[in-house]
Amino acid sequence: MLNTGDIVLLSLPNEEKTKTGLVIGISDTSDSLNIAYLTTQIDKYNSNKFTEPISSSDLETGFLKKDSIILVDRIMTAPPGLCEKIASLKKDKLNKILRIFSHYAAYSYFKSTFRERRPGDYIPPSGKVLDERELFNMIDASLDMWLTAGRFHEDFENKFAEFLGVKHTLAVNSGSSANLLALSALTSDRLGNKRLGKGDEVITVAAAFPTTIAPIVQNGLVPVFVDVEPGTYNIDPAQIENAVSEKTKAIFIAHTLGNPFNLDKVLEIREKYGLFLIEDNCDALGSKYGLASDADSPDRRYTGTYGDISTFSFYPAHQITMGEGGAVATDDSRLNRIMLSMRDWGRDCWCPTGKDNTCAQRFSQQHGGLPAGYDHKYVYSHLGYNLKITDWQAAIGLIQLQKLPLFLEKRKENFRLLYEGLKPFEEYLILPRTTGNSDPAWFGFPVTVKENTGFNRITLIKFLEDHKIGTRQLFTGNILRQPVFLNNEIKMRIGDSKVLLSNRLTEDDYKIIPNTDIIMNSTFWIGIWPGLTRETMEYIIQTIREFIVSQG
């Protein structure tokens, strides 16, 4: 009886020569065998990605006269009666070949099913760029049958830390979870007198994504809102110090749409007042900034490497994706240990999933009021969550990380094309302004409609949407005017104000951050993601030109 993994000589009717092949499958409905062609012409087929060389050392039984190569994309079907077994493969080699066969099937599906964007298609403001390589990795993760965080997860965390140049990264299930984890870590008793407690203040901005602000409130802390700059859309560095009080313990702000905030000023204030800094880098993976103090060094560092903790998102709209996913990064081993605990249910144990007794003291420690020797895997030092990712997500992320340099290059090219194409219309539009001494990996292209232009944002974006050009608001615009703040009693401050209640704000309160309201009323952004071509950028420019001309 023949089995998958057997090497056979195949005698076909009407053919004088026998053929050699590998049984890679047996039909469930008949006795026919699926056989991959085997040849000794290694040099001829070595460049084919759906091949695998084999030699006698790969055999469990039998022998081969010469080293050979399996062509997984050349399949024959034959009944067992025409086949003579001459050898069988070792299990690990067979496993590798069957995975290649799975890749080939997926490749055929991908090429026949997915298509490139075509002229006339809707132009989404964000999107993902995937090919068969992500699919291959997902298949391998599936075939491992591990399901939860495993070998791909560990590899991704290591490679992501290497890319950033930091000591520690932890993968989590979203950028929002990364923000929650980063802020929650600062409340840990492991930080002693530096820990954030109920009523302590965190400086941030109201022109933000909601889950930058939500963890502040969810942890019983008081957000302090500072206004932003038109053009950069980042926190106004000149107003930060004015917002600091004796209760201020941290700064938690984003590099808006990938444009780095003024790290020189923010770090200066952090050092002066002994604050924590969390960089929300969810929109800014690949952006760089050079400190004035490093003027003698020609290299800028990646944003997300300056704060105590930084956060990242791998949602499909971002610089890389794993579907849903995110990460935190830090050079502080104590903060990393705290975040690891909080990510993994709050447990004190740091063993990876599926491993035990990494500390070699699993049953020999005393914790809290527990009995001596209580299993360390079930000791909990924090009120935590389960924020881990699956190995499928990490498998996608690994391939995306390889592509990141090309993605960044394309984003910058698309940004440059839009900026140059729209510069003639600065009489009507505020174009994005890159922060000094930075190199942004722009997430999107923000535009603010100036006052007294004869048209407003809504008119313009409706025109763009009617012409199949997708647009997005700058996130919450002004979160203080969102229902969640108006319908709940949230303690907060604005600038140097006293503590205010979100559901009792007045127009005079909103006037403390006037640029935030301008963004809410007049700003939007359009896409520059790497799936968009030069022709697409030129179409966007032409459409905006057409609109402005039509307004007289």
Side-chain angles (χ1 to χ4, degrees):
M1 180 178 177
L2 295 174
N3 297 298
T4 300
D6 289 341
I7 297 174
V8 297
L9 290 177
L10 178 61
S11 301
L12 294 175
N14 303 319
E15 290 194 23
E16 293 182 6
K17 291 185 178 181
T18 58
K19 293 186 176 181
T20 309
L22 172 70
V23 178
I24 60 170
I26 302 173
S27 172
D28 287 337
T29 58
S30 68
D31 290 335
S32 61
L33 307 175
N34 294 319
I35 301 171
Y37 184 61
L38 186 149
T39 178
T40 57
Q41 295 179 292
I42 296 176
D43 291 340
K44 180 177 179 180
Y45 294 104
N46 206 32
S47 60
N48 183 338
K49 58 186 171 184
F50 301 115
T51 62
E52 177 65 18
I54 61 170
S55 63
S56 293
S57 63
D58 297 314
L59 301 182
E60 188 70 38
T61 63
F63 69 96
L64 292 174
K65 293 181 179 180
K66 293 183 179 180
D67 289 348
S68 303
I69 190 167
I70 296 286
L71 307 182
V72 175
D73 57 350
R74 293 183 62 179
I75 307 297
M76 304 173 281
T77 301
L82 299 181
C83 301
E84 176 189 354
K85 178 179 174 179
I86 60 172
S88 62
L89 284 178
K90 291 178 178 177
K91 186 175 180 180
D92 57 346
K93 176 60 79 167
L94 175 61
N95 175 59
K96 187 173 183 180
I97 291 171
L98 290 177
R99 284 177 182 249
I100 295 172
F101 179 63
S102 298
H103 292 180
Y104 172 63
Y107 177 80
S108 299
Y109 174 81
F110 182 86
K111 290 299 183 183
S112 65
T113 303
F114 292 90
R115 67 172 180 84
E116 300 288 334
R117 292 188 66 261
R118 296 172 181 169
D121 285 351
Y122 179 77
I123 303 168
S126 60
K128 57 191 181 294
V129 178
L130 304 170
D131 60 30
E132 67 275 9
R133 286 173 286 177
E134 285 87 356
L135 193 54
F136 295 166
N137 259 25
M138 289 178 68
I139 289 169
D140 283 340
S142 298
L143 293 174
D144 284 355
M145 298 294 283
W146 184 250
L147 307 184
T148 186
R151 65 183 178 101
F152 290 98
H153 168 267
E154 181 180 2
D155 198 17
F156 178 82
E157 286 187 338
N158 291 336
K159 284 186 167 59
F160 191 54
E162 182 181 351
F163 172 82
L164 293 173
V166 298
K167 292 180 180 178
H168 309 286
T169 63
L170 295 171
V172 295
N173 57 9
S174 72
S176 296
S177 292
N179 284 346
L180 174 63
L181 187 61
L183 200 282
S184 299
L186 301 186
T187 69
S188 171
D189 63 277
R190 298 287 175 90
L191 297 177
N193 293 334
K194 290 203 69 178
R195 72 184 292 195
L196 275 60
K198 303 290 184 185
D200 283 339
E201 295 177 352
V202 180
I203 290 175
T204 189
V205 300
F209 199 76
T211 51
T212 307
I213 298 160
I216 302 171
V217 179
Q218 290 161 342
N219 277 280
L221 306 169
V222 177
V224 180
F225 295 101
V226 174
D227 207 7
V228 295
E229 297 179 304
T232 70
Y233 304 100
N234 283 316
I235 193 167
D236 184 345
Q239 298 189 39
I240 300 174
E241 190 164 13
N242 193 45
V244 175
S245 78
E246 60 182 15
K247 290 188 174 182
T248 304
K249 294 291 182 67
I251 301 172
F252 187 6
I253 49 178
H255 301 288
T256 305
L257 291 178
N259 192 19
F261 56 73
N262 187 325
L263 274 155
D264 281 286
K265 185 62 176 179
V266 171
L267 291 174
E268 175 190 322
I269 293 170
R270 179 185 74 165
E271 294 303 314
K272 181 175 181 179
Y273 294 98
L275 309 178
F276 286 110
L277 171 62
I278 301 176
E279 288 179 80
D280 182 338
N281 209 63
C282 288
D283 293 346
L285 176 59
S287 294
K288 290 185 175 182
Y289 187 93
L291 295 173
S293 58
D294 295 338
D296 293 336
S297 173
D299 295 327
R300 299 180 175 119
R301 279 166 49 191
Y302 286 118
T303 57
T305 65
Y306 288 95
D308 296 283
I309 303 172
S310 59
T311 63
F312 301 84
S313 174
F314 307 133
Y315 189 72
H318 291 83
Q319 280 85 352
I320 65 171
T321 186
M322 53 176 67
E324 301 285 352
V328 291
T330 184
D331 280 324
D332 188 312
S333 295
R334 180 171 60 170
L335 286 174
N336 183 66
R337 180 78 178 276
I338 292 168
M339 289 190 291
L340 176 62
S341 170
M342 289 186 169
R343 185 195 70 175
D344 295 4
W345 306 284
R347 68 178 185 173
D348 198 69
C349 172
W350 62 86
C351 291
T353 303
K355 295 184 180 179
D356 296 331
N357 208 23
T358 304
C359 63
Q361 301 181 65
R362 181 179 174 188
F363 299 107
S364 59
Q365 301 181 64
Q366 171 72 54
H367 294 278
L370 297 170
Y374 198 84
D375 189 347
H376 193 216
K377 285 181 72 71
Y378 291 93
V379 173
Y380 299 91
S381 49
H382 296 95
L383 293 175
Y385 310 90
N386 179 4
L387 304 178
K388 299 192 302 298
I389 62 170
T390 66
D391 240 22
W392 291 293
Q393 293 166 280
I396 299 168
L398 279 167
I399 300 299
Q400 289 275 293
L401 197 56
Q402 294 174 15
K403 297 177 179 180
L404 179 57
L406 291 177
F407 288 168
L408 298 178
E409 184 179 322
K410 185 62 176 175
R411 283 180 176 272
K412 292 174 184 180
E413 176 189 347
N414 284 344
F415 180 90
R416 178 183 56 79
L417 290 170
L418 277 186
Y419 189 88
E420 292 175 355
L422 296 179
K423 194 164 181 59
F425 310 115
E426 286 188 295
E427 177 184 350
Y428 309 95
L429 308 172
I430 298 175
L431 300 184
R433 177 165 56 87
T434 297
T435 302
N437 205 24
S438 73
D439 181 17
W442 286 95
F443 176 76
F445 191 94
V447 174
T448 299
V449 177
K450 290 184 176 180
E451 291 186 283
N452 304 316
T453 60
F455 60 88
N456 58 29
R457 177 183 65 189
I458 293 178
T459 308
L460 175 53
I461 63 175
K462 281 184 176 180
F463 186 87
L464 293 174
E465 295 282 352
D466 287 344
H467 287 75
K468 298 185 177 182
I469 298 171
T471 64
R472 291 291 184 269
Q473 307 295 287
L474 187 49
F475 308 131
T476 64
N478 183 348
I479 199 169
L480 305 185
R481 294 186 183 270
Q482 291 277 354
V484 65
F485 267 69
L486 296 180
N487 297 338
N488 294 280
E489 190 173 271
I490 299 170
K491 289 183 179 180
M492 47 167 286
R493 289 200 300 112
I494 307 176
D496 64 351
S497 78
K498 63 181 182 180
V499 174
L500 305 168
L501 297 177
S502 63
N503 59 350
R504 300 182 187 178
L505 295 178
T506 68
E507 286 301 316
D508 286 337
D509 296 322
Y510 296 128
K511 287 178 182 177
I512 302 173
I513 48 173
N515 291 332
T516 301
D517 266 354
I518 290 174
I519 286 172
M520 177 187 68
N521 289 312
S522 302
T523 301
F524 68 98
W525 59 270
I526 45 186
I528 54 171
W529 58 284
L532 301 180
T533 64
R534 171 184 285 267
E535 290 73 24
T536 303
M537 296 297 105
E538 291 172 349
Y539 172 73
I540 293 172
I541 294 165
Q542 175 57 36
T543 304
I544 293 175
R545 178 186 295 114
E546 180 183 335
F547 171 81
I548 291 176
V549 170
S550 73
Q551 298 300 302

